[in-house]
Amino acid sequence: MALYGKVYRGIEQVKGPLVIMRGVPDASYEEVVRFYSDDGREWLGQVIEVGKEKTILQVLGDTEGLETKVMVKFTGSTLKLPVSDEILGRVFNGSGMPIDGGPPVRADDYRDINGAPINPVKRDYPDEFVETGISVIDGMLSLVRGQKLPLFSEAGLPHNMVAAQIARQAVVPGKSERFAIVFAAVGLKYDDILFFRRQFEEFGALSRSVLFLNLANDPVIERITTPRVALTAAEYLAFDLDMDVLVIVTDMTNYCEALRELSSAREEVPSRKGYPGYMYSDLASIYERAGRIKGKAGSITFMPILTMPGGDLTHPIPDLTGYITEGQIFLDLDLFNRGIYPPINALPSLSRLMKDGIGAGKTREDHKEVSDQLYASYSQGVKARELVKIVGEAGLSERERLYLEFAKRFEERLLSQGFKERRTIEETLDIAWDVLSMLPEGELTRISDGTIRKFHPKLRGEKTVIYEGV
Amino acid sequence: MEEVLAKGEILHIRGPVVFAENLKGAKIREVVLVGEERLIGEIVKVEGDVAVIQVYEPTGGLKPGEPVERTGEPLSAELGPGLLGSVLDGLGRPLEAVAEIAGGPFITRGIKVPTLPRNKKWTFKPVVKKGDTVEDGDVLGTVKEGAINHKIMVPPRTGRCRVAEIAGEGDYTVEDIIATLERAGRKIDLKMYHKWPVRYPRPFKEKLEPVELLLTGQRVIDTFFPIVKGGTSAVPGGFGTGKTVTLHQISKWADADVVIYVGCGERGNEMTDLLHTFPKLIDPKTGRPLLERSVLIANTSNMPVPAREASIFMGITYAEYFRDMGLNVVLTADSTSRWAEALRELSSRLEEIPSEKGYPAYLPDYIASFYERAGRVKVLGSRNEIGSVAIIGAVSPSGGDLNEPVTQHTMRYVGAFWALDKDLAFRRHFPSINWLRSFSKYASGLGEWWMKNSGEDMLSLRGEAMDILQRASGLEEVARVVGEAALSEENRLLLLEAELIREGYLVQNAYHEVDTFCSPKKQAKLLKTLIQFYREARPLLDYGVPVSRIQKLSSLGRLRRLKFVPEKEFDREVEETLRELKDELNRLVAEVS
């Protein structure tokens, strides 16, 4: 065992993942420590509180076998990830150690896994449309390069399929590809990981991927570091090697639960549902690492996946996430049960950066208005569908019945799509017009006259439009 | 009387909270420099010999035993020429300069850079003469900064003085002495800038009643839930309800001389969006870029939490400074919830006893002390000028629950409340201000203002529209149970009118080049016209005309789209639409009878 730094004995107490020692001269806050037992076992840890009288360390990994007489080495540095272009195609654990049987990574640099905040004036505003080939996303929740857009899902829903389909199909139209995928599994089952590996393999992306795996039976504490090392790798690929990086982290719910476990071990004052009060800032320090930087060609597009406990959108995890991310893609149990793929409920979904990524010169000039109209009309249809449950279809007005039909057509034609089906944005918008054209023109209140004259399949090229109500 | 300031050393580090010992004479709220890298911190507690410090920068790598220096000064804002158009972090450091010193896109630690550029020269024009007597707030001279006439004033707490020396017209940096005042034989040198402790409200002569509408050009706000110059308002709403867009719209269009935007613990890309659009937007009044009348404070969610707590006070101090020049200022803070959370986090690190939901018991006082710094005031100085600061604070209630402590305490201190509604947002009804749950205490006092600026009796139009909307929402409840078809004809017409007001008036597209701003004249005429429809159509029911026929009128589609018609063509379009409506209605009556 290599011994740099200072080595001490004398742990006073081991409590859960926390180790309490007396004051250690020269120990610094957030410094990495290593524990060595006499029988050759080794643990990794970090200083979380340090003073002249007391030092608190946190063990990363299982504390089984840890005893008070182990040696503690203070390394003098914070948690760092070795980076170089050799990380591509490799598989690591949650603290950045290779687990694919390959050699250690030759390091061009060591990067602090916590990163540093991007200076807001150095950010470049994300406004380049990413065509995912999925109609409901491209048409109504357009993703842009450098956006952070989470999938809000529930246990049992095909969020992994949707994420894999996006990873496979996404392109920035008219841009040459320097594309990489960073995938981080946080507390995942092995078959989920196999699914992603197989998908990446199938479309030949494995050599352009970096995988960070923390399995369900891996140490809970490493769930805290997994997304951070993944994003550190992503930052290197994006801002040093000029690549467009798609980061998928699944499942953030497991991350938050690890955070709660740790907070409770530290005996901190809990906030909502026992999660720590700083969870917002903590999540922000992860999510905000996505983006583009002025003068750099690369980008980090971030797609965290989280399963909402009990499908509850107001649960602290989706709630705080939604406040940080730039929208959300909402998977819906009801749509899934009706056999619709992708089961994306457009109404509570949103892409905040859509407005600047679409329109003339980017997608098509009618995109924004068509999207607004789809939202407005589909919500009327969903409302009518709820009404049917109460009064039956016979109790509906003529107009409500029309919207009921609209919702059905929308779900069949625009929303539904195959796992391997890729639609261009042109195709998507044409389907949208086709669906919208079943409504009388007077109902298309979110679309301007000019756009109707130019794109409406029935009225294309007409000089004047006579508006008819229902 | 230079005091020799004690140096102490770090005793203990707990996240952003650092304990220091041997810091003799340390005062609460004093700024200290922590560690070898001299990180900026503020003393929040003194326990005997130990000072508790909240550090405004990441503390990773700090060690016990490192030095802690006192500065003897409280956390202060630099006030002077150069503020306008700047983009600062929560401690008042210009982010461009930070980037230059850091040498990269990431913010590193220990960077110290003053708010105001030291080498830039400003053309100073004196307005007082040697021998004049001046008091606090009196103008010594002016500097042209963009479209603003930046007044260089005698700082508060100076006292009545004689001007002993005043610089002639010419170019000076903010560090040059431009005046020397004399008071009881003592000389006071003044520069173009001074410092003010951010946690103390700047003094004024008298607080006045706010009576003038702060025009935002957003119909649902101006007409239904207005805010006034010097007023306060809160915008609560879950994520995705359009809070930020609403605030951006107000910052862009508000009828104010200066806009301070505090991005407090929010998304980085949102600040980038502002930085991206503000320089391109032109102020309709002055024809100059909006950025020139703005100060942006960006303390995004991933920047250190304690600086987030300070950023709001930094912003309000800038706002008060411009108010003291006799200007109307709007401060928008997005989001005050993140600010309150920063407070909660620090309170928990200080191991204080938590009150509701982990927030400290002094949360309400904290919120009140912020909103109370708004107001329309008679400013200091011998001139008789009035200035105002309006505060618009976003609230991000967890889980969209308006009963959580930050929303509840905020509601008690604000004059207007714009409740954003998730259901409206899902329907893409923006701004998603719920007309049943919002309020404005200012609305009833603005009748005269509307009469003067639009020539219409807006209060009664507003009352009529509100009545229709309210009755309609009751009917919708009923319709949800029995279906719309089961309602009486009269009620169905009312629902149609309510829908017309919602779609044709309340919904406003921030990204549509015409619809993004609506003048008071257009607002009044549009609302009047939409109500006119109801008045004209109502008598037809007595002739037995079914609502299903009225729904099909082509003029109805035209009415819904009136809002998109540019101001110049608006009057003509209204006239034509009403004419078409009358014709169509007459035809319907003829057909039925």
Side-chain angles (χ1 to χ4, degrees):
Chain A
M1 62 186 182
L3 280 182
Y4 306 107
K6 297 188 174 169
V7 183
Y8 297 88
R9 276 188 204 268
I11 291 180
E12 286 195 336
Q13 196 186 353
V14 182
K15 191 170 73 178
L18 301 186
V19 168
I20 296 161
M21 294 179 76
R22 294 242 296 276
V24 176
D26 253 10
S28 63
Y29 178 61
E30 288 188 341
E31 168 175 5
V32 171
V33 293
R34 288 180 191 281
F35 304 88
Y36 300 97
S37 71
D38 293 341
D39 54 1
R41 292 180 63 182
E42 210 183 306
W43 294 264
L44 190 68
Q46 192 177 17
V47 178
I48 58 165
E49 206 175 311
V50 54
K52 286 187 173 169
E53 271 125 47
K54 189 164 94 174
T55 306
I56 304 179
L57 316 173
Q58 170 187 312
V59 183
L60 299 169
D62 198 353
T63 52
E64 191 268 322
L66 200 66
E67 52 180 342
T68 50
K69 58 176 204 229
V70 296
M71 274 199 289
V72 188
K73 186 181 88 175
F74 288 77
T75 60
S77 100
T78 47
L79 270 181
K80 291 200 161 101
L81 179 76
V83 287
S84 72
D85 56 0
E86 283 183 10
I87 58 175
L88 283 167
R90 300 293 305 271
V91 185
F92 303 89
N93 72 3
S95 43
M97 308 288 176
I99 51 170
D100 51 2
V105 168
R106 168 187 58 83
D108 280 348
D109 198 2
Y110 291 87
R111 297 277 163 92
D112 188 328
I113 66 156
N114 291 313
I118 301 177
N119 190 329
V121 298
K122 288 290 156 195
R123 272 184 192 273
D124 207 353
Y125 192 64
D127 58 359
E128 289 167 284
F129 176 72
V130 176
E131 192 180 76
T132 65
I134 298 176
S135 281
V136 61
I137 296 179
D138 290 350
M140 300 171 77
L141 319 155
S142 310
L143 178 70
V144 299
R145 198 165 72 90
Q147 184 173 15
K148 40 188 182 295
L149 191 62
L151 288 177
F152 282 11
S153 186
E154 283 180 59
L157 295 186
H159 40 263
N160 290 347
M161 278 174 81
V162 176
Q165 189 172 3
I166 291 171
R168 182 179 66 228
Q169 298 182 345
V171 289
V172 178
K175 209 171 166 282
S176 66
E177 298 244 329
R178 272 183 68 79
F179 183 67
I181 299 173
V182 171
F183 175 80
V186 183
L188 227 57
K189 292 197 310 266
Y190 197 71
D191 44 352
D192 288 328
I193 289 171
L194 274 183
F195 168 79
F196 276 103
R197 278 196 83 151
R198 208 172 44 238
Q199 288 301 324
F200 294 162
E201 208 162 3
E202 228 173 75
F203 62 91
L206 213 50
S207 62
R208 287 182 292 138
S209 313
V210 192
L211 275 58
F212 293 90
L213 307 182
N214 168 271
L215 295 180
N217 55 357
D218 280 341
V220 170
I221 282 306
E222 260 180 27
R223 292 184 191 152
I224 303 294
T225 52
T226 310
R228 293 191 163 84
V229 289
L231 283 157
T232 305
E235 276 174 1
Y236 178 78
L237 296 174
F239 303 131
D240 287 68
L241 301 186
D242 295 337
M243 302 183 92
D244 282 317
V245 186
L246 175 69
V247 181
I248 299 173
V249 177
T250 174
D251 174 342
M252 283 304 286
T253 303
N254 295 335
Y255 171 84
C256 293
E257 264 151 23
L259 198 68
R260 173 166 68 178
E261 199 176 317
L262 193 66
S263 166
S264 119
R266 291 180 183 181
E267 297 178 351
E268 291 167 341
V269 180
S271 173
R272 255 196 330 149
K273 297 210 172 173
Y275 293 96
Y278 52 79
M279 192 158 89
Y280 174 82
S281 304
D282 186 277
L283 286 173
S285 73
I286 294 175
Y287 295 143
E288 279 288 340
R289 290 171 78 171
R292 286 169 59 196
I293 289 178
K294 279 185 192 154
K296 307 257 182 193
S299 66
I300 297 179
T301 307
F302 189 16
M303 191 161 276
I305 299 173
L306 55 94
T307 48
M308 295 178 286
D312 177 12
L313 188 61
T314 67
H315 185 281
I317 299 172
D319 188 47
L320 294 179
T321 299
Y323 274 120
I324 306 164
T325 53
E326 283 132 4
Q328 65 276 341
I329 296 176
F330 195 99
L331 301 196
D332 188 294
L333 189 62
D334 182 50
L335 287 170
F336 177 66
N337 286 340
R338 282 196 276 134
I340 294 173
Y341 177 88
I344 294 173
N345 185 350
L347 298 181
S349 301
L350 168 74
S351 165
R352 288 168 188 277
L353 301 182
M354 176 174 180
K355 61 181 168 61
D356 295 305
I358 61 169
K362 291 184 170 163
T363 54
R364 213 165 78 179
E365 58 181 291
D366 57 330
H367 192 159
K368 164 104 179 75
E369 290 172 64
V370 167
S371 164
D372 283 351
Q373 187 63 56
L374 285 172
Y375 271 109
S377 304
Y378 183 53
S379 82
Q380 296 250 31
V382 171
K383 215 164 102 188
R385 190 179 283 158
E386 274 159 28
L387 201 55
V388 171
K389 287 185 201 148
I390 304 165
V391 298
E393 226 177 304
L396 297 187
S397 70
E398 198 188 329
R399 186 160 177 263
E400 284 162 344
R401 233 170 296 160
L402 182 73
Y403 274 106
L404 192 64
E405 180 59 25
F406 174 84
K408 201 167 145 241
R409 280 265 279 275
F410 171 84
E411 286 166 3
E412 283 170 6
R413 306 275 294 275
L414 190 102
L415 180 57
S416 294
Q417 165 171 5
F419 176 57
K420 303 241 153 149
E421 182 185 354
R422 189 181 194 292
R423 295 185 193 148
T424 66
I425 181 65
E426 287 278 331
E427 283 166 343
T428 294
L429 290 175
D430 290 345
I431 295 172
W433 272 112
D434 187 44
V435 175
L436 285 172
S437 67
M438 70 171 282
L439 298 173
E441 295 70 58
E443 293 290 318
L444 303 181
T445 52
R446 305 288 166 96
I447 306 183
S448 64
D449 294 1
T451 309
I452 286 187
R453 251 171 284 162
K454 195 158 172 195
F455 291 98
H456 196 294
K458 289 185 201 156
L459 301 163
R460 222 171 273 159
E462 301 244 344
K463 285 254 156 42
T464 49
V465 182
I466 313 288
Y467 292 104
E468 258 180 51
V470 178
Chain B
M1 38 157 249
E2 280 289 299
E3 180 189 359
V4 180
L5 298 169
K7 271 197 185 182
E9 57 182 57
I10 297 178
L11 179 68
H12 197 92
I13 301 145
R14 186 189 295 151
V17 174
V18 167
F19 298 75
E21 58 184 354
N22 297 328
L23 213 54
K24 258 184 226 86
K27 296 182 199 72
I28 292 278
R29 294 297 174 206
E30 181 177 340
V31 171
V32 289
L33 302 172
V34 180
E36 306 285 357
E37 287 177 83
R38 306 175 83 220
L39 309 179
I40 303 168
E42 190 181 357
I43 297 178
V44 290
K45 213 158 133 187
V46 181
E47 297 166 336
D49 191 27
V50 176
V52 184
I53 301 160
Q54 68 175 41
V55 181
Y56 290 123
E57 299 178 77
T59 49
L62 279 185
K63 291 176 187 171
E66 286 191 43
V68 179
E69 292 168 48
R70 286 184 55 196
T71 64
E73 281 182 13
L75 187 67
S76 302
E78 278 189 4
L79 305 169
L83 264 185
L84 291 173
S86 57
V87 183
L88 311 169
D89 74 357
L91 299 176
R93 297 179 296 191
L95 284 167
E96 284 290 354
V98 167
E100 222 164 275
I101 296 172
F106 296 100
I107 298 177
T108 51
R109 292 194 311 191
I111 292 175
K112 272 161 216 70
V113 47
T115 305
L116 303 174
R118 289 300 191 262
N119 47 8
K120 182 157 183 182
K121 291 209 166 181
W122 301 93
T123 309
F124 174 78
K125 257 192 209 158
V127 298
V128 293
K129 298 183 307 291
K130 194 168 165 175
D132 285 356
T133 309
V134 290
E135 58 181 58
D136 290 359
D138 271 349
V139 182
L140 297 169
T142 59
V143 165
K144 192 96 181 132
E145 196 182 355
I148 301 277
N149 211 14
H150 194 125
K151 290 174 180 155
I152 309 296
M153 300 167 291
V154 178
R157 298 183 184 165
T158 307
R160 212 172 174 70
C161 298
R162 202 178 56 81
V163 179
E165 212 80 59
I166 180 85
E169 184 171 342
D171 294 350
Y172 302 93
T173 68
V174 289
E175 286 285 13
D176 293 330
I177 288 163
I178 47 101
T180 305
L181 305 185
E182 199 175 60
R183 178 189 164 88
R186 237 187 76 215
K187 297 225 164 161
I188 307 162
D189 288 334
L190 294 182
K191 300 173 179 175
M192 278 197 278
Y193 82 101
H194 66 277
K195 288 187 177 181
W196 187 264
V198 297
R199 294 182 197 274
Y200 301 98
R202 285 173 66 86
F204 47 81
K205 270 192 181 149
E206 185 187 346
K207 217 162 202 174
L208 307 168
E209 204 189 343
V211 284
E212 202 180 329
L213 179 76
L214 174 70
L215 184 71
T216 65
Q218 312 304 304
R219 289 184 293 265
V220 59
I221 294 176
D222 292 345
T223 305
F224 290 96
F225 309 105
I227 177 171
V228 290
K229 290 177 178 165
T232 51
S233 146
V235 199
F239 63 86
T241 51
K243 208 166 24 318
T244 301
V245 177
T246 308
L247 289 189
H248 284 196
Q249 279 296 93
I250 292 169
S251 310
K252 282 177 197 168
W253 297 113
D255 170 31
D257 303 304
V258 172
V259 172
I260 315 279
Y261 190 96
V262 187
C264 173
E266 288 289 309
R267 302 177 182 91
N269 277 331
E270 264 162 22
M271 283 318 296
T272 316
D273 185 16
L274 270 188
L275 298 176
H276 198 69
T277 49
F278 260 50
K280 286 188 222 151
L281 285 171
I282 301 299
D283 183 353
K285 277 190 304 185
T286 60
R288 304 187 66 118
L290 274 184
L291 190 64
E292 281 186 5
R293 61 157 209 193
S294 315
V295 181
L296 304 181
I297 298 179
N299 203 82
T300 55
S301 55
N302 55 340
M303 285 156 81
V305 172
R308 195 191 295 168
E309 193 266 334
S311 65
I312 291 262
F313 292 105
M314 206 51 93
I316 191 78
T317 307
Y318 296 143
E320 286 175 340
Y321 173 64
F322 289 108
R323 172 203 72 189
D324 291 347
M325 294 178 202
L327 300 174
N328 292 309
V329 185
V330 173
L331 176 125
T332 45
D334 186 10
S335 143
T336 59
S337 295
R338 304 298 162 224
W339 172 65
E341 279 167 15
L343 196 68
R344 172 170 71 185
E345 194 172 327
L346 292 167
S347 160
S348 132
R349 303 256 191 207
L350 295 175
E351 299 183 335
E352 291 171 342
I353 295 165
S355 153
E356 237 180 316
K357 301 231 168 170
Y359 288 103
Y362 48 82
L363 175 73
D365 304 336
Y366 228 67
I367 293 175
S369 72
F370 166 56
Y371 283 103
E372 269 311 292
R373 288 175 78 167
R376 187 164 160 265
V377 304
K378 203 181 270 176
V379 301
L380 286 185
S382 43
R383 71 216 140 101
N384 226 344
E385 257 184 317
I386 291 172
S388 72
V389 173
I391 296 182
I392 299 169
V395 183
S396 323
S398 47
D401 168 23
L402 297 189
N403 289 323
E404 58 89 43
V406 180
T407 317
Q408 281 302 310
H409 293 309
T410 302
M411 257 171 113
R412 287 158 49 201
Y413 301 114
V414 294
F417 187 75
W418 304 325
L420 302 187
D421 189 315
K422 202 169 241 167
D423 289 330
L424 289 177
F426 286 179
R427 275 190 265 153
R428 295 303 183 264
H429 174 122
F430 288 119
S432 65
I433 296 174
N434 181 310
W435 48 92
L436 300 174
R437 297 215 315 263
S438 303
F439 67 76
S440 167
K441 294 176 189 162
Y442 308 117
S444 55
L446 292 170
E448 224 170 284
W449 188 95
W450 278 106
M451 196 51 101
K452 210 172 93 198
N453 289 279
S454 73
E456 297 286 348
D457 179 4
M458 200 62 168
L459 282 197
S460 68
L461 284 174
R462 173 185 188 263
E464 211 168 326
M466 267 312 248
D467 182 54
I468 291 168
L469 289 170
Q470 234 141 26
R471 278 196 290 156
S473 94
L475 286 174
E476 268 162 22
E477 293 286 316
V478 177
R480 212 164 292 153
V481 182
V482 298
E484 210 184 305
L487 295 180
S488 72
E489 284 295 297
E490 187 147 339
N491 285 341
R492 291 183 70 177
L493 184 68
L494 189 82
L495 282 186
L496 181 66
E497 170 65 16
E499 196 240 8
L500 181 62
I501 294 177
R502 280 203 309 265
E503 286 286 324
Y505 198 81
L506 299 178
V507 171
Q508 189 166 357
N509 187 342
Y511 305 114
H512 188 282
E513 82 191 286
V514 174
D515 203 27
T516 182
F517 177 86
C518 194
S519 74
K521 264 209 170 97
K522 186 173 167 187
Q523 292 191 29
K525 187 145 196 176
L526 181 59
L527 189 59
K528 195 177 168 190
T529 311
L530 298 183
I531 292 177
Q532 184 81 7
F533 167 79
Y534 185 61
R535 290 191 189 142
E536 303 266 350
R538 175 65 193 76
L540 266 71
L541 299 183
D542 299 336
Y543 291 103
V545 178
V547 174
S548 53
R549 297 290 299 276
I550 299 176
Q551 265 175 353
K552 285 186 187 160
L553 296 182
S554 101
S555 50
L556 196 56
R558 231 169 136 177
L559 281 169
R560 285 199 187 106
R561 286 179 165 72
L562 269 182
K563 60 182 181 183
F564 294 122
V565 178
E567 207 98 2
K568 267 187 282 172
E569 302 150 35
F570 189 68
D571 284 354
R572 194 172 43 92
E573 177 67 17
V574 167
E575 232 171 83
E576 278 175 24
T577 310
L578 284 178
R579 202 176 314 129
E580 189 190 339
L581 174 70
K582 273 183 197 152
D583 289 348
E584 282 188 311
L585 292 176
N586 286 339
R587 241 177 288 143
L588 273 185
V589 175
E591 272 174 46
V592 173
S593 55

